Short mmCIF file of all heavy atoms in Angstrom, two decimals:
data_model
loop_
_atom_site.label_atom_id
_atom_site.label_comp_id
_atom_site.label_asym_id
_atom_site.label_seq_id
_atom_site.Cartn_x
_atom_site.Cartn_y
_atom_site.Cartn_z
N ALA A 79 110.12 122.09 90.16
CA ALA A 79 110.06 122.76 91.46
C ALA A 79 109.50 124.17 91.26
O ALA A 79 110.18 125.03 90.70
CB ALA A 79 111.44 122.82 92.10
N ALA A 80 108.27 124.39 91.71
CA ALA A 80 107.57 125.63 91.37
C ALA A 80 107.31 126.52 92.58
O ALA A 80 107.04 126.04 93.68
CB ALA A 80 106.23 125.31 90.69
N LYS A 81 107.39 127.82 92.34
CA LYS A 81 106.81 128.78 93.26
C LYS A 81 105.33 128.45 93.39
O LYS A 81 104.71 127.95 92.47
CB LYS A 81 107.00 130.19 92.69
CG LYS A 81 106.66 131.32 93.64
CD LYS A 81 107.70 131.51 94.71
CE LYS A 81 107.36 132.69 95.63
NZ LYS A 81 108.28 132.76 96.77
N HIS A 82 104.75 128.74 94.57
CA HIS A 82 103.34 128.38 94.78
C HIS A 82 102.61 129.58 95.36
O HIS A 82 102.89 129.99 96.49
CB HIS A 82 103.25 127.19 95.72
CG HIS A 82 101.91 126.52 95.74
ND1 HIS A 82 100.97 126.67 94.74
CD2 HIS A 82 101.34 125.69 96.67
CE1 HIS A 82 99.89 125.97 95.04
NE2 HIS A 82 100.08 125.37 96.19
N GLN A 83 101.65 130.12 94.56
CA GLN A 83 100.89 131.28 95.02
C GLN A 83 99.39 131.07 94.92
O GLN A 83 98.64 131.79 95.58
CB GLN A 83 101.30 132.52 94.20
CG GLN A 83 102.75 132.93 94.42
CD GLN A 83 103.15 134.16 93.62
OE1 GLN A 83 102.39 134.66 92.79
NE2 GLN A 83 104.35 134.66 93.88
N SER A 84 98.93 130.10 94.10
CA SER A 84 97.49 129.85 93.98
C SER A 84 97.25 128.49 93.36
O SER A 84 98.19 127.83 92.90
CB SER A 84 96.82 130.94 93.13
OG SER A 84 97.02 130.69 91.75
N ASP A 85 95.98 128.08 93.30
CA ASP A 85 95.64 126.82 92.65
C ASP A 85 95.90 126.88 91.14
O ASP A 85 96.03 125.83 90.49
CB ASP A 85 94.17 126.46 92.91
CG ASP A 85 93.93 126.03 94.35
OD1 ASP A 85 94.92 125.69 95.03
OD2 ASP A 85 92.77 126.05 94.80
N TRP A 86 95.94 128.07 90.58
CA TRP A 86 96.26 128.23 89.15
C TRP A 86 97.58 127.55 88.81
O TRP A 86 97.74 127.03 87.69
CB TRP A 86 96.36 129.71 88.81
CG TRP A 86 96.79 130.01 87.40
CD1 TRP A 86 95.99 130.15 86.31
CD2 TRP A 86 98.15 130.19 86.94
NE1 TRP A 86 96.76 130.42 85.19
CE2 TRP A 86 98.08 130.45 85.56
CE3 TRP A 86 99.38 130.16 87.56
CZ2 TRP A 86 99.22 130.68 84.78
CZ3 TRP A 86 100.52 130.38 86.79
CH2 TRP A 86 100.44 130.63 85.43
N ASP A 87 98.51 127.53 89.73
CA ASP A 87 99.83 126.95 89.47
C ASP A 87 99.72 125.50 89.01
O ASP A 87 100.45 125.06 88.12
CB ASP A 87 100.69 127.02 90.73
CG ASP A 87 100.69 128.41 91.36
OD1 ASP A 87 100.35 129.39 90.67
OD2 ASP A 87 100.99 128.51 92.57
N ILE A 88 98.81 124.76 89.62
CA ILE A 88 98.62 123.35 89.24
C ILE A 88 98.09 123.26 87.83
O ILE A 88 98.56 122.46 87.01
CB ILE A 88 97.67 122.65 90.24
CG1 ILE A 88 98.26 122.69 91.65
CG2 ILE A 88 97.42 121.20 89.81
CD1 ILE A 88 97.32 122.18 92.72
N PHE A 89 97.07 124.09 87.51
CA PHE A 89 96.49 124.06 86.16
C PHE A 89 97.54 124.40 85.10
O PHE A 89 97.55 123.81 84.01
CB PHE A 89 95.34 125.07 86.03
CG PHE A 89 94.32 125.03 87.14
CD1 PHE A 89 93.63 126.18 87.49
CD2 PHE A 89 94.05 123.86 87.82
CE1 PHE A 89 92.69 126.16 88.49
CE2 PHE A 89 93.11 123.83 88.85
CZ PHE A 89 92.42 125.00 89.18
N ALA A 90 98.42 125.36 85.41
CA ALA A 90 99.42 125.81 84.45
C ALA A 90 100.49 124.76 84.19
O ALA A 90 100.94 124.56 83.06
CB ALA A 90 100.05 127.11 84.93
N ILE A 91 100.91 124.07 85.25
CA ILE A 91 102.01 123.11 85.14
C ILE A 91 101.55 121.77 84.58
O ILE A 91 102.29 121.08 83.87
CB ILE A 91 102.67 122.92 86.53
CG1 ILE A 91 103.36 124.21 86.97
CG2 ILE A 91 103.66 121.76 86.54
CD1 ILE A 91 103.82 124.20 88.41
N LEU A 92 100.32 121.39 84.88
CA LEU A 92 99.82 120.05 84.58
C LEU A 92 100.05 119.59 83.14
O LEU A 92 100.48 118.44 82.92
CB LEU A 92 98.32 119.98 84.93
CG LEU A 92 97.71 118.59 85.10
CD1 LEU A 92 98.43 117.79 86.18
CD2 LEU A 92 96.22 118.71 85.43
N PRO A 93 99.79 120.42 82.11
CA PRO A 93 99.97 119.91 80.74
C PRO A 93 101.40 119.53 80.38
O PRO A 93 101.62 118.81 79.40
CB PRO A 93 99.51 121.10 79.87
CG PRO A 93 98.67 121.93 80.75
CD PRO A 93 99.26 121.78 82.12
N TYR A 94 102.37 119.97 81.16
CA TYR A 94 103.78 119.74 80.83
C TYR A 94 104.40 118.61 81.66
O TYR A 94 105.61 118.40 81.59
CB TYR A 94 104.57 121.04 81.05
CG TYR A 94 104.00 122.18 80.24
CD1 TYR A 94 103.04 123.03 80.79
CD2 TYR A 94 104.40 122.38 78.93
CE1 TYR A 94 102.49 124.07 80.04
CE2 TYR A 94 103.86 123.42 78.17
CZ TYR A 94 102.91 124.26 78.73
OH TYR A 94 102.36 125.27 77.99
N THR A 95 103.57 117.92 82.41
CA THR A 95 104.11 116.90 83.32
C THR A 95 104.18 115.51 82.67
O THR A 95 104.87 114.63 83.19
CB THR A 95 103.26 116.80 84.59
OG1 THR A 95 101.89 116.53 84.22
CG2 THR A 95 103.31 118.10 85.38
N VAL A 96 103.47 115.28 81.57
CA VAL A 96 103.41 113.99 80.87
C VAL A 96 102.80 112.93 81.77
O VAL A 96 101.70 112.44 81.55
CB VAL A 96 104.78 113.55 80.33
CG1 VAL A 96 104.66 112.22 79.59
CG2 VAL A 96 105.36 114.62 79.42
N ARG A 97 103.53 112.52 82.80
CA ARG A 97 103.00 111.63 83.83
C ARG A 97 103.42 112.21 85.17
O ARG A 97 104.54 111.98 85.63
CB ARG A 97 103.53 110.20 83.65
CG ARG A 97 102.99 109.23 84.70
CD ARG A 97 103.39 107.80 84.42
NE ARG A 97 102.93 106.93 85.49
CZ ARG A 97 103.03 105.59 85.47
NH1 ARG A 97 103.56 104.99 84.42
NH2 ARG A 97 102.59 104.88 86.47
N PRO A 98 102.53 112.97 85.81
CA PRO A 98 102.94 113.70 87.01
C PRO A 98 102.93 112.85 88.27
O PRO A 98 102.14 111.92 88.41
CB PRO A 98 101.89 114.80 87.10
CG PRO A 98 100.66 114.17 86.54
CD PRO A 98 101.14 113.25 85.44
N ALA A 99 103.80 113.21 89.19
CA ALA A 99 103.76 112.66 90.54
C ALA A 99 103.82 113.85 91.49
O ALA A 99 104.91 114.36 91.77
CB ALA A 99 104.93 111.70 90.77
N PHE A 100 102.67 114.31 91.93
CA PHE A 100 102.62 115.45 92.84
C PHE A 100 102.97 114.99 94.26
O PHE A 100 102.60 113.89 94.67
CB PHE A 100 101.23 116.08 92.85
CG PHE A 100 100.97 116.97 91.67
CD1 PHE A 100 100.47 116.44 90.48
CD2 PHE A 100 101.22 118.32 91.72
CE1 PHE A 100 100.23 117.24 89.38
CE2 PHE A 100 100.98 119.15 90.64
CZ PHE A 100 100.48 118.61 89.46
N ILE A 101 103.67 115.83 94.98
CA ILE A 101 103.95 115.57 96.39
C ILE A 101 102.88 116.27 97.21
O ILE A 101 102.66 117.48 97.06
CB ILE A 101 105.35 116.05 96.77
CG1 ILE A 101 106.40 115.20 96.03
CG2 ILE A 101 105.57 115.96 98.29
CD1 ILE A 101 107.83 115.54 96.36
N ALA A 102 102.18 115.51 98.05
CA ALA A 102 101.03 116.05 98.78
C ALA A 102 101.10 115.65 100.25
O ALA A 102 101.70 114.63 100.61
CB ALA A 102 99.73 115.54 98.17
N LYS A 103 100.47 116.47 101.09
CA LYS A 103 100.39 116.15 102.52
C LYS A 103 99.56 114.88 102.73
O LYS A 103 98.55 114.67 102.07
CB LYS A 103 99.75 117.32 103.27
CG LYS A 103 100.55 118.61 103.22
CD LYS A 103 99.85 119.72 103.96
CE LYS A 103 98.58 120.16 103.22
NZ LYS A 103 97.97 121.36 103.87
N LYS A 104 99.98 114.06 103.67
CA LYS A 104 99.31 112.78 103.90
C LYS A 104 97.85 112.96 104.26
O LYS A 104 97.00 112.14 103.87
CB LYS A 104 100.03 112.01 105.02
CG LYS A 104 99.45 110.62 105.26
CD LYS A 104 100.20 109.89 106.36
CE LYS A 104 99.59 108.51 106.60
NZ LYS A 104 100.29 107.79 107.70
N GLU A 105 97.52 114.04 104.99
CA GLU A 105 96.13 114.21 105.44
C GLU A 105 95.18 114.40 104.27
O GLU A 105 93.99 114.09 104.38
CB GLU A 105 96.01 115.38 106.42
CG GLU A 105 96.66 116.67 105.96
CD GLU A 105 98.07 116.84 106.50
OE1 GLU A 105 98.78 115.83 106.62
OE2 GLU A 105 98.43 118.00 106.80
N LEU A 106 95.69 114.89 103.13
CA LEU A 106 94.83 115.03 101.95
C LEU A 106 94.37 113.67 101.43
O LEU A 106 93.30 113.56 100.83
CB LEU A 106 95.56 115.78 100.84
CG LEU A 106 95.90 117.25 101.11
CD1 LEU A 106 96.68 117.83 99.95
CD2 LEU A 106 94.63 118.06 101.36
N MET A 107 95.17 112.66 101.66
CA MET A 107 94.83 111.32 101.16
C MET A 107 93.71 110.68 101.94
O MET A 107 93.14 109.66 101.52
CB MET A 107 96.07 110.42 101.20
CG MET A 107 97.29 111.02 100.52
SD MET A 107 97.03 111.42 98.79
CE MET A 107 97.07 109.77 98.08
N ASN A 108 93.37 111.25 103.10
CA ASN A 108 92.29 110.71 103.92
C ASN A 108 90.92 111.26 103.53
O ASN A 108 89.90 110.84 104.09
CB ASN A 108 92.55 111.01 105.40
CG ASN A 108 93.81 110.33 105.91
OD1 ASN A 108 94.14 109.22 105.48
ND2 ASN A 108 94.52 110.99 106.81
N ILE A 109 90.89 112.21 102.59
CA ILE A 109 89.62 112.77 102.14
C ILE A 109 88.93 111.77 101.22
O ILE A 109 89.52 111.33 100.23
CB ILE A 109 89.84 114.10 101.39
CG1 ILE A 109 90.53 115.11 102.30
CG2 ILE A 109 88.51 114.66 100.88
CD1 ILE A 109 90.92 116.40 101.60
N PRO A 110 87.69 111.37 101.53
CA PRO A 110 87.00 110.38 100.69
C PRO A 110 86.96 110.82 99.23
O PRO A 110 86.79 112.00 98.93
CB PRO A 110 85.59 110.33 101.30
CG PRO A 110 85.79 110.75 102.71
CD PRO A 110 86.88 111.77 102.69
N PHE A 111 87.14 109.89 98.32
CA PHE A 111 87.15 110.07 96.88
C PHE A 111 88.36 110.87 96.41
O PHE A 111 89.08 110.41 95.52
CB PHE A 111 85.84 110.71 96.38
CG PHE A 111 84.64 109.81 96.55
CD1 PHE A 111 83.73 110.05 97.57
CD2 PHE A 111 84.44 108.73 95.72
CE1 PHE A 111 82.63 109.23 97.73
CE2 PHE A 111 83.34 107.90 95.87
CZ PHE A 111 82.44 108.15 96.89
N PHE A 112 88.60 112.05 96.97
CA PHE A 112 89.76 112.83 96.55
C PHE A 112 91.04 112.05 96.84
O PHE A 112 91.92 111.94 95.98
CB PHE A 112 89.80 114.18 97.27
CG PHE A 112 91.02 115.00 96.93
CD1 PHE A 112 91.01 115.84 95.83
CD2 PHE A 112 92.19 114.91 97.69
CE1 PHE A 112 92.15 116.58 95.50
CE2 PHE A 112 93.31 115.64 97.37
CZ PHE A 112 93.29 116.49 96.26
N GLY A 113 91.16 111.53 98.05
CA GLY A 113 92.34 110.76 98.41
C GLY A 113 92.47 109.50 97.59
O GLY A 113 93.57 109.12 97.18
N TRP A 114 91.34 108.84 97.32
CA TRP A 114 91.38 107.62 96.50
C TRP A 114 91.80 107.95 95.07
O TRP A 114 92.54 107.20 94.43
CB TRP A 114 90.01 106.94 96.50
CG TRP A 114 89.50 106.65 97.88
CD1 TRP A 114 90.23 106.47 99.01
CD2 TRP A 114 88.12 106.53 98.28
NE1 TRP A 114 89.41 106.24 100.09
CE2 TRP A 114 88.11 106.27 99.67
CE3 TRP A 114 86.91 106.62 97.61
CZ2 TRP A 114 86.93 106.10 100.39
CZ3 TRP A 114 85.73 106.45 98.32
CH2 TRP A 114 85.74 106.19 99.70
N ALA A 115 91.31 109.10 94.57
CA ALA A 115 91.68 109.53 93.23
C ALA A 115 93.18 109.80 93.16
O ALA A 115 93.87 109.37 92.22
CB ALA A 115 90.90 110.78 92.83
N ALA A 116 93.71 110.53 94.14
CA ALA A 116 95.13 110.85 94.15
C ALA A 116 95.98 109.58 94.26
O ALA A 116 97.03 109.45 93.61
CB ALA A 116 95.45 111.79 95.31
#
Side-chain angles (χ1 to χ4, degrees):
K81 190 74 178 172
H82 194 19
Q83 295 181 353
S84 80
D85 288 342
W86 175 90
D87 311 341
I88 300 173
F89 312 151
I91 293 170
L92 198 58
Y94 303 92
T95 56
V96 181
R97 180 173 177 174
F100 281 87
I101 294 182
K103 297 179 291 186
K104 184 179 179 182
E105 50 265 36
L106 294 177
M107 308 302 285
N108 297 325
I109 301 174
F111 293 104
F112 177 87
W114 305 335

